[in-house]
Amino acid sequence: DQQVKQNSPSLSVQEGRISILNCDYTNSMFDYFLWYKKYPAEGPTFLISISSIKDKNEDGRFTVFLNKSAKHLSLHIVPSQPGDSAVYFCAASATGTASKLTFGTGTRLQVTL
Amino acid sequence: KAGVTQTPRYLIKTRGQQVTLSCSPISGHRSVSWYQQTPGQGLQFLFEYFSETQRNKGNFPGRFSGRQFSNSRSEMNVSTLELGDSALYLCASSYLAGGQETQYFGPGTRLLVL
């Protein structure tokens, strides 16, 4: 039972354009959400998080949107840069913290020149 | 600040053996979590320790255990290894600031069970 789903295994975006990565979840108890990016042979790198009491959080080029009624969150990267090419994971927790995370299967983002 | 460190980075064991993995969190972080990453199951939560106490536990058999020391360093033990335990084991430490919790992962220990 995949409680956190990233339905797009890969995404290709031109440099300078917007990258939008999507994530859906089924567990209504999830109340804290995070995005990570991962390079091969490294651990995931934290990008941004959002609590269920908010619907948007921004940090530099990264913005996360949360739509609780649709059980959907998205990560926007603007502008996309070649260094953003990596696998992106969304994760969710029902503890109100970054504890006991349930991860999605990841989306591979390729930013082309 | 130094990041999360994990030792060893690579390990080869045989079925039936046991293994202990070590994690040193970022200085000042009191929470340490462990995850298993496999190609088939993705990233799965094992357990979390906070101030030497297990605070949360995932759905893994009792062969997987852990502990945390007073300096927040953590160890994870897997007994009676099975082929399916071959995976990347990731440790993460976290802290709460400004109402936002941030979790940092180490590079992982890659375990191969033969």
Side-chain angles (χ1 to χ4, degrees), chain A residues 32 36 43 49 97-99 101, chain B residues 35 48 56-57 100-101 103 106:
Chain A
Y32 197 76
Y36 290 85
S49 63
T97 68
S99 174
L101 295 177
Chain B
Y35 290 83
E48 181 209 7
N56 282 297
K57 190 176 187 305
Q100 176 170 283
E101 184 164 3
Q103 189 167 84

Side-chain angles (χ1 to χ4, degrees), chain A residues 2-3 32 34 36 38 41-51 54 57 59 89 95-105, chain B residues 9-10 31 33 35 37 41-45 48 55-59 88 90 94 96 99-108 110:
Chain A
Q2 192 70 29
Q3 296 187 64
Y32 197 76
L34 306 89
Y36 290 85
K38 188 176 185 302
E42 293 183 14
T45 300
F46 171 79
L47 287 173
I48 192 168
S49 63
I50 187 167
S51 164
K54 295 184 174 182
N57 190 26
D59 186 357
F89 291 92
T95 65
T97 68
S99 174
K100 201 172 182 180
L101 295 177
T102 299
F103 279 83
T105 51
Chain B
R9 292 292 311 278
Y10 303 93
S31 167
S33 296
Y35 290 83
Q37 184 179 26
Q41 299 296 321
L43 272 153
Q44 292 188 289
F45 173 77
E48 181 209 7
R55 185 159 73 172
N56 282 297
K57 190 176 187 305
N59 298 322
L88 179 67
L90 292 159
S94 63
L96 185 64
Q100 176 170 283
E101 184 164 3
T102 307
Q103 189 167 84
Y104 297 88
F105 281 83
R110 187 163 293 282

